[in-house]
Amino acid sequence: MSNAVQQISKVELGAGGPLVGVQGFGAMGISAAYGETDDAAARETLEATVEAGVTLIDTADMYGVGANEEFLAPFVAAHRDEITLATKFGIEYRADDPGYRAIRNDPAYIKQAVEASLRRLDVDVIDLYYMHRRRPDVPLAESVGAMAELVREGKVKHLGLSEVTGAELREAHAVHPITAVQTEWSVFSRDVEHSVVGAAAELGVAFVPYSPLGRGFLTGSFADAGKELSGSDFRQLLPRYSGDNAKANVALLEPLHKIAAERGATTAQIALAWVQQRAQVHGLTVVPIPGTRKRSRLLENAGATRVVLSADELALLEPLAGRVAGERYADMSLTSAAREARGPSSE
């Protein structure tokens, strides 16, 4: 089977970072957040990542309150030398208290969190360790300093940050080299272009866009989360995907559908191609991490790495982000956008 799958190209993940497939895999949805899961299909999908050369595998300790890391452990053990394993700390949930949620960046918690992730993943070292969310009242130098200590101890190889501003990235990078920044970036979500993308390009930091397919909305897999998705699917909580916002945003997908039809491609591939071409537009490494539960979709997504959009096609997609109705989250306070001085660059 593997001989029939074309492997994607590889790229260095930031200056001095590991060599990874130019597209990664966001593992959250295979066991958490998007309603009921199918373990067998999820494992088949994970195996397809290796077949396709999708080697950056991304999880977090909060996904399923640790369950996602545990689910990945057998796959990681079977393919440890073939993949680059990324996980994240900073959003604390408790299995015995479903209503509990806290943002933790303090050094004591970081030491506790990495040990728990190492245990659940059943590994000796994490390849890329992200601070998932920034807590502004904890000095960034303290948090990154604690993360740097993990590198010195051999528990972590590379450091990453998620949802930080350009100024925060520069401050962190001065404490210890940052390999990658992970934040939402798609044809619908472009607030990162204000400062952090430029800072990453300047510093040689790779950008890892999460939700490059708008959590499935850009693919046309659903048109209204409130009406179509299960009650356990957290996309119901995201403002732009339900009700009047969703109705307005569905209409914005027409250029994606048009380009896809003309290309003989899928809308997912066009949306991913747009994200991938940000690398040339902004002069930095870009490794998006779309997620899926299906092997067929994984291979379809990987095929997007071979799609290059024309200037005319890019022009059709350029204005979309400025027309999107609704925010990325109901509470944007923990995002980099909330700490930026300006609004969306595409407005």
Side-chain angles (χ1 to χ4, degrees):
M1 181 181 292
S2 60
N3 291 335
V5 176
Q6 183 176 353
Q7 292 225 331
I8 65 174
S9 60
K10 290 182 167 55
V11 67
E12 188 178 57
L13 192 69
L19 196 66
V20 300
V22 73
Q23 183 183 109
F25 181 73
M28 178 182 75
I30 61 172
S31 69
Y34 294 152
E36 294 302 314
T37 61
D38 180 330
D39 286 358
R43 297 198 186 285
E44 184 180 10
T45 302
L46 285 173
E47 291 297 328
T49 64
V50 178
E51 292 180 57
V54 176
T55 61
L56 177 62
I57 309 298
D58 181 273
T59 182
D61 60 4
M62 68 159 284
Y63 299 159
V65 198
N68 195 256
E69 290 181 326
E70 292 174 345
F71 184 84
L72 284 172
F75 167 77
V76 172
H79 300 284
R80 190 66 190 97
D81 295 336
E82 300 168 86
I83 64 171
T84 296
L85 179 63
T87 192
K88 302 181 281 293
F89 76 88
I91 305 178
E92 183 185 25
Y93 285 104
R94 294 176 180 170
D96 60 353
D97 184 359
Y100 180 86
R101 181 176 184 269
I103 305 302
R104 298 283 303 274
N105 291 171
D106 55 284
Y109 179 75
I110 294 171
K111 293 179 181 179
Q112 171 189 327
V114 76
E115 294 296 342
S117 286
L118 288 166
R119 183 178 65 252
R120 286 189 294 262
L121 290 162
D122 194 22
V123 295
D124 296 324
V125 61
I126 293 163
D127 299 320
L128 176 58
Y129 199 44
Y130 288 99
M131 185 172 74
H132 205 164
R133 290 293 185 272
R134 168 98 168 91
R135 179 166 177 152
D137 63 350
V138 177
L140 192 56
E142 288 186 14
S143 302
V144 179
M147 295 169 72
E149 183 61 29
L150 301 180
V151 176
R152 288 189 287 271
E153 293 172 356
K155 296 175 181 177
V156 169
K157 291 183 180 179
H158 302 279
L159 302 185
L161 301 172
S162 179
E163 291 285 359
V164 293
T165 67
E168 290 166 343
L169 175 58
R170 288 189 177 91
E171 181 183 352
H173 196 74
V175 176
H176 186 279
I178 301 300
T179 296
V181 170
Q182 180 179 143
T183 303
E184 185 166 356
W185 198 7
S186 75
V187 71
F188 265 25
S189 298
R190 298 179 60 180
D191 50 84
V192 294
E193 294 174 24
H194 298 318
S195 73
V196 70
V197 167
E202 172 190 321
L203 298 170
V205 176
F207 210 100
V208 178
Y210 73 77
S211 298
L213 296 176
R215 304 186 188 275
F217 189 83
L218 295 176
T219 73
S221 64
F222 70 96
D224 189 321
K227 294 179 179 178
E228 299 173 43
L229 304 181
S230 70
S232 61
D233 194 314
F234 99 112
R235 287 174 290 186
Q236 290 195 359
L237 304 176
L238 305 179
R240 62 178 51 167
Y241 301 134
S242 294
D244 289 342
N245 286 344
K247 184 177 180 180
N249 293 335
V250 163
L252 297 178
L253 298 178
E254 181 54 35
L256 281 168
H257 295 315
K258 178 179 184 293
I259 296 168
E262 292 173 348
R263 285 281 192 136
T266 65
T267 53
Q269 289 175 326
I270 301 307
L272 286 170
W274 182 91
V275 176
Q276 289 155 191
Q277 282 179 245
R278 300 303 94 189
Q280 287 73 47
V281 172
H282 296 281
L284 77 169
T285 299
V286 177
V287 181
I289 49 169
T292 181
R293 295 174 175 180
K294 296 179 180 179
R295 179 181 186 275
S296 60
R297 295 298 188 195
L298 184 284
L299 299 179
E300 174 189 319
N301 290 345
T305 65
R306 295 179 282 275
V307 176
V308 178
L309 300 177
S310 69
D312 287 344
E313 290 168 333
L314 291 172
L316 282 176
L317 302 176
E318 180 64 25
L320 299 190
R323 299 171 182 170
V324 171
E327 296 282 12
R328 296 197 272 128
Y329 295 100
D331 178 3
M332 289 285 288
S333 64
L334 296 175
T335 66
S336 57
R339 298 191 299 276
E340 295 283 9
R342 295 184 295 165
S345 63
S346 52
E347 289 186 347

